[in-house]
Amino acid sequence: MANESYYFTSESVTEGHPDKICDQISDAVLDAIITKETELEKRGYIAPNGHPASVENIRCACETFVTTGTVIVAGEIRTQAYVDVNQIARETLRRIGYDRAKYGFDCDTCGVINMIHEQSPDIAMGVDESFDAQAGKTTDKLDLVGAGDQGMMFGYASDETDVLMPMPIYLAQRLAMKLSAVRKSGEVGYLRPDGKTQVTVRYEDGKPVEVTAIVISTQHDPAVRTMATIKKDMVNHVITPILDEVGIKWRDADIYVNPTGRFVVGGPMGDTGLTGRKIIVDTYGGMGRHGGGAFSGKDCTKVDRSAAYAARWVAKNVVAAGLAHRCEVELAYAIGVSHPLSVMVDTHGTGSVPDTEIEAAVEKVFDLRPGAIIRDLDLRRPIYEKTAAYGHFGRNDPDFTWEATNRTDELKAAVAK
């Protein structure tokens, strides 16, 4: 329909939000395990049980819960390394900014409870040696790695921003990052770590044309008596720099800052937090489907994480290759099976060729076995804590290998044949 207009809203949260605290602690534990296991492997360490250290043998599913004055870290982990979970949790809280009691949470005095135990051997069996390997059907090393769980994972890309992310989540993430930046720099000195952002964008004919509403909720020092002061500072120091840089129309937008009128009690004192509760913030802001699996705290054999990264990699390359304006990719896996059960490509009617042709090209160009994904995206590295806040996608960081558009020529050549 010509001149079709609609609105789409996405939200983000700062690194001091209770759920995001948990994501970061879980991923900090994972990074520490990868780092220590890699060091042990280089030294040729062999544990008393006779098992050699190997980063390939790491298994991690780490969950964190925070509430007033308390951090609980639990989950299933397999490693030859020792990491100080208590210290990791405290240092993560310190980096975020919860380093004094008046902020409602103090990294030095809060309680940290470690309830981590070993991974179930029933789960490990199918990941260490895939279904096909156990049946004697393969000797290919990459076929030996079975998917760490069953499920479906989605990836998405759109050409409405330079990083091929949907505009609403892109802006919400940028505002959340800026909100933390002005707090840490002292530019707005009364801010506290907890915060949320939300952006509504109006679309015409599938293209973002203006921002119509912006919401910023930020924890603050109780000495700040007027919301007018906070709103003025948010507009001047957070909203204007980001929105003007992006270049989208926004001056007529409705702006809401701390709509309740006060946000002093925040962080774990104001709300409990749990790993994996911000999966839409972590991905595409609701623009596109989600398989339901969280990312943080999970090692790369867990396809909840690695296959979601691969699906983004595929979708981004399809759009970057000019084969579609929008692309959604679904991958499905069975636990212990080394090949995806299905691969789906949906360009929402924006493809330059039929979706079936793009799908065939994707299956030819990308090896989507878990072992191949780990290899091609170099996922056995301590890169995960920084993914745990401000989104896993759409960020220009060389460690985010799934953001590379390095298969576009191969895709175009495969479609042309």
Side-chain angles (χ1 to χ4, degrees), residues 141-156:
K141 183 178 180 181
L142 293 178
D143 276 336
L144 300 180
V145 181
D149 203 350
Q150 71 174 52
M152 63 284 189
M153 296 81 209
F154 289 91
Y156 183 88

Side-chain angles (χ1 to χ4, degrees), residues 112-156:
V112 179
I113 302 171
N114 180 358
M115 301 179 67
I116 290 172
H117 57 88
E118 290 188 12
Q119 184 192 43
S120 162
D122 293 349
I123 296 174
M125 180 173 60
V127 181
D128 295 342
E129 188 178 18
S130 70
F131 174 83
D132 287 341
Q134 291 181 43
K137 296 179 180 179
T138 181
T139 57
D140 184 333
K141 183 178 180 181
L142 293 178
D143 276 336
L144 300 180
V145 181
D149 203 350
Q150 71 174 52
M152 63 284 189
M153 296 81 209
F154 289 91
Y156 183 88

Side-chain angles (χ1 to χ4, degrees), residues 370-381:
I373 292 170
I374 293 167
R375 175 199 64 193
D376 293 342
L377 297 181
D378 195 12
L379 295 180
R380 287 194 169 104
R381 295 173 295 138

Side-chain angles (χ1 to χ4, degrees), residues 34-277:
I34 293 172
T35 298
K36 289 289 186 69
E37 188 86 18
T38 301
E39 292 173 355
L40 291 175
E41 183 178 5
K42 288 179 179 177
R43 287 164 34 199
Y45 174 80
I46 298 177
N49 60 12
H51 294 157
S54 170
V55 71
E56 291 187 5
N57 290 333
I58 287 173
R59 301 292 182 265
C60 182
C62 182
E63 312 284 350
T64 304
F65 171 89
V66 295
T67 188
T68 305
T70 305
V71 178
I72 299 174
V73 184
E76 301 78 45
I77 291 177
R78 185 178 77 184
T79 180
Q80 303 297 341
Y82 168 79
V83 297
D84 189 337
V85 172
N86 187 296
Q87 188 64 21
I88 290 168
R90 295 187 191 282
E91 288 306 313
T92 302
L93 288 163
R94 189 185 313 280
R95 176 187 57 75
I96 291 169
Y98 286 110
D99 55 1
R100 55 195 69 184
K102 69 177 182 179
Y103 293 170
F105 208 77
D106 184 351
C107 61
D108 292 317
T109 60
C110 68
V112 179
I113 302 171
N114 180 358
M115 301 179 67
I116 290 172
H117 57 88
E118 290 188 12
Q119 184 192 43
S120 162
D122 293 349
I123 296 174
M125 180 173 60
V127 181
D128 295 342
E129 188 178 18
S130 70
F131 174 83
D132 287 341
Q134 291 181 43
K137 296 179 180 179
T138 181
T139 57
D140 184 333
K141 183 178 180 181
L142 293 178
D143 276 336
L144 300 180
V145 181
D149 203 350
Q150 71 174 52
M152 63 284 189
M153 296 81 209
F154 289 91
Y156 183 88
S158 168
D159 64 4
E160 58 196 68
T161 61
D162 290 343
V163 293
L164 305 188
M165 287 288 284
M167 184 65 77
I169 187 63
Y170 175 71
L171 293 177
Q173 300 283 26
R174 294 285 305 279
L175 289 172
M177 293 178 77
K178 188 66 173 177
L179 183 58
S180 284
V182 298
R183 169 179 64 88
K184 290 182 174 182
S185 69
E187 188 175 345
V188 185
Y190 56 78
L191 297 182
R192 298 294 181 255
D194 197 356
K196 301 180 76 171
T197 62
Q198 184 172 292
V199 179
T200 300
V201 174
R202 183 169 68 86
Y203 284 75
E204 287 185 1
D205 296 329
K207 301 294 183 183
V209 294
E210 69 171 324
V211 173
T212 61
I214 301 168
V215 182
I216 293 182
S217 296
T218 180
Q219 187 184 10
H220 60 88
D221 188 317
V224 181
R225 298 299 180 186
T226 68
M227 288 302 105
T229 298
I230 300 177
K231 182 173 182 178
K232 179 181 177 182
D233 286 339
M234 292 301 97
V235 171
N236 291 340
H237 298 283
V238 178
I239 297 172
T240 299
I242 296 300
L243 274 293
D244 282 356
E245 179 184 333
V246 173
I248 191 171
K249 181 182 177 184
W250 70 275
R251 295 285 176 174
D252 295 328
D254 295 323
I255 298 175
Y256 302 91
V257 175
N258 287 8
T260 65
R262 177 180 168 90
F263 187 1
V264 171
V265 179
M269 186 177 182
D271 194 8
T272 58
L274 186 66
T275 298
R277 281 206 301 209

